[in-house]
Amino acid sequence: MSRIVIAGGGLSGCLAALAIARRLPNVDLLLMEQGDTLGGNHTWSFFDSDVPPEIRWVIEGIVASHWPAHEVHFPRRSRTIDIGYSSIRSTELDQAVRAALRPDQIRLNARIHAVDANSVSLDGGTIAADAVIDARGPAAMPDLDLGWQKFVGQYLRFDRPHGLTLPVIMDATVEQIDGYRFVYQLPISPTELLIEDTYYSPTPALDQVALRARIERLALATGGGSPEVVSEESGVLPIVLGGDVDAFWQNGTVPRLGLRGGFFHPTTSYSFPDAVANAALLSEQGELTSEALYRLYRNRSERLWQERSFFRILNRMLFEAAEPGQAYRVLEHFYRLPPAIIARFYAAHLSGVDKMRILTGKPPVPIGRAITALRRSAA
Ligand SMILES: Cc1cc2nc3c(=O)[nH]c(=O)nc-3n(C[C@H](O)[C@H](O)[C@H](O)COP(=O)(O)OP(=O)(O)OC[C@H]3O[C@@H](n4cnc5c(N)ncnc54)[C@H](O)[C@@H]3O)c2cc1C
């Protein structure tokens, strides 16, 4: 019987563990996490069309909130789009994994110092395994050329209804500061709202104090009055403009999942759909060794890198071709398209015709700057 150790009990590690527990219950599994709960402090959202029906079993029972449609707002375009949207919170993921795994299969407060193909080292010694999967979240990515998506989000509780019924995925009618700015809002209930102030920026620096003040002003502008801040989360996520995927995986022996394996949407940084797909894939493997899984995930990452090259071009348009303060126009232009293309964009499954349709129409960025950005992308 193979012994698998998953290093890191965040999104990708937990979903991989769930998939093994559900489909390969006889595998000797250990999920190790440095925190005292699983999943950290996140709200993970995804579009209905991001997770195909055949792999939904991985997340069965853990989806907490669902809305039948969502909205986007730009200075010259507002739309309600009939693509459903779901969110789960870390606490729900934690509960689902604890329900599916035996207590001896989860080790919390376990700070891992190092991993190699057949062992995990921590303060108390070393644990041997046939397969070690590194799911410890983002690490430095010196081989990739990156921009950043950074945000602060606050869960707010109001005395009166705030008035929102559908998630607002992008509201770019706000003042444009530090690149492309938009507000993201999730109406958890009539009196609870998650507001995130988000920036696509060339720098990872995040001024949390300024963002909190902006969220406070946005909250006061709803119909709900002055809210209580229930909790806060923040993120600085990579947006890929280019780079060398071979170097990213070079000299490795340990399979990697999640952000550590580069498994995220190049334009949105969402990793939920890839994490579900990778977990389902894991449960289909006959050979559960580090060597076999390293090959599997490296090949998959390199294939996705090729398939997703179009998104890196779009990212250059957003970060490099748009005039300062005008980057929102790239997304405003994109959102003229039919829901089916929008769904395939977020699922990162664009057809050749979709790509052509995204690029046609009155260009949202100056042509000269677009050509320079395209040249950089080709280089
Ligand atoms: C606040 C926030 C909101 C996000 N929202 C979305 C969203 O809505 N949809 C979406 O698709 N993506 C979202 N993302 C992006 C991305 O999906 C998440 O960052 C996701 O959690 C990445 O999964 P992961 O498994 O790679 O890393 P993580 O979920 O960060 O998990 C890594 C885990 O490894 C543990 N760990 C790290 N080092 C060690 C160590 N040395 N020893 C033991 N354990 C260790 C960490 O404690 C952590 O629990 C969000 C990101 C953030 C930060």
Side-chain angles (χ1 to χ4, degrees):
M1 185 171 56
S2 297
R3 165 149 245 230
I4 296 195
V5 174
I6 299 176
L11 179 64
S12 62
C14 281
L15 294 185
L18 266 182
I20 292 179
R22 288 177 174 173
R23 289 285 162 104
L24 302 171
N26 294 327
V27 165
D28 180 5
L29 169 69
L30 180 61
L31 176 62
M32 302 184 72
E33 164 58 38
Q34 65 183 359
D36 51 13
T37 57
L38 296 166
N41 173 27
H42 298 297
T43 304
W44 293 290
S45 302
F46 55 98
F47 297 93
D48 287 357
S49 37
D50 285 349
V51 181
E54 63 275 14
I55 57 171
R56 282 230 155 215
W57 60 267
V58 175
I59 52 170
E60 213 171 272
I62 52 174
V63 172
S65 309
H66 180 264
W67 299 267
H70 65 274
E71 296 175 9
V72 292
H73 301 288
F74 295 90
R76 279 175 291 276
R77 176 169 284 119
S78 272
R79 270 180 84 178
T80 299
I81 300 169
D82 288 333
I83 301 174
Y85 197 66
S86 298
S87 284
I88 66 166
R89 297 190 67 184
S90 301
T91 43
E92 279 106 30
L93 183 62
D94 176 272
Q95 280 165 16
V97 176
R98 286 175 199 258
L101 271 63
R102 294 189 314 269
D104 63 297
Q105 292 181 310
I106 303 173
R107 195 172 298 178
L108 297 173
N109 302 305
R111 167 113 188 116
I112 295 164
H113 298 313
V115 297
D116 67 29
N118 293 107
S119 69
V120 169
S121 313
L122 60 168
D123 276 344
T126 299
I127 295 172
D130 301 290
V132 174
I133 297 179
D134 191 356
R136 287 178 294 165
M141 300 179 184
D143 303 303
L144 304 185
D145 188 6
L146 302 174
W148 304 95
Q149 182 195 170
K150 54 195 187 186
F151 57 89
V152 170
Q154 288 187 337
Y155 265 91
L156 304 172
R157 189 172 294 133
F158 295 83
D159 289 334
R160 301 191 300 274
H162 47 67
L164 253 76
T165 52
L166 290 177
V168 179
I169 303 304
M170 279 183 187
D171 181 349
T173 59
V174 289
E175 185 188 1
Q176 294 297 297
I177 315 167
D178 193 2
Y180 169 46
R181 175 179 177 220
F182 62 89
V183 175
Y184 170 96
Q185 302 189 77
L186 279 188
I188 309 296
S189 77
T191 52
E192 290 166 297
L193 193 60
L194 169 66
I195 302 186
E196 281 181 9
D197 191 20
T198 305
Y199 301 75
Y200 273 59
S201 162
T203 72
L206 183 65
D207 181 351
Q208 302 215 10
V209 175
L211 269 66
R212 281 187 197 119
R214 286 174 200 148
I215 292 173
E216 193 181 343
R217 285 198 291 278
L218 291 161
L220 288 173
T222 68
S226 180
E228 169 201 353
V229 179
V230 179
S231 64
E232 182 177 291
E233 57 187 54
S234 64
V236 179
L237 303 173
I239 301 293
V240 183
L241 306 181
D244 181 350
V245 73
D246 286 337
F248 178 71
W249 279 91
Q250 218 168 25
N251 301 327
T253 52
V254 181
R256 308 198 303 245
L257 286 181
L259 292 186
R260 197 157 282 235
F263 292 106
F264 57 91
H265 190 294
T267 302
T268 65
S269 235
Y270 272 29
S271 75
F272 193 91
D274 280 347
V276 178
N278 281 335
L281 195 60
L282 181 62
S283 74
E284 291 163 10
Q285 301 312 303
E287 190 187 338
L288 292 173
T289 61
S290 281
E291 200 187 352
L293 297 179
Y294 178 81
R295 267 198 316 273
L296 175 78
Y297 289 119
R298 180 177 177 159
N299 288 344
R300 180 169 158 76
S301 167
E302 290 177 350
R303 182 171 57 75
L304 291 177
W305 177 269
Q306 301 306 335
E307 285 175 14
R308 296 175 177 178
S309 59
F310 179 77
F311 294 95
R312 297 193 292 278
I313 297 174
L314 287 185
N315 294 347
R316 289 227 184 248
M317 294 298 150
L318 198 58
F319 280 86
E320 295 175 354
E323 302 263 24
Q326 303 291 308
Y328 74 87
R329 287 172 184 265
V330 175
L331 274 305
E332 188 178 57
H333 184 65
F334 166 77
Y335 271 109
R336 77 197 184 286
L337 294 165
I341 298 183
I342 294 169
R344 290 195 288 273
F345 173 87
Y346 281 108
H349 287 307
L350 290 171
S351 69
V353 175
D354 293 340
K355 291 175 193 170
M356 273 169 52
R357 294 217 33 205
I358 289 172
L359 293 178
T360 53
K362 188 169 179 291
V365 294
I367 296 288
R369 291 173 71 104
I371 290 171
T372 309
L374 281 175
R375 282 212 188 103
R376 268 198 217 116
S377 196

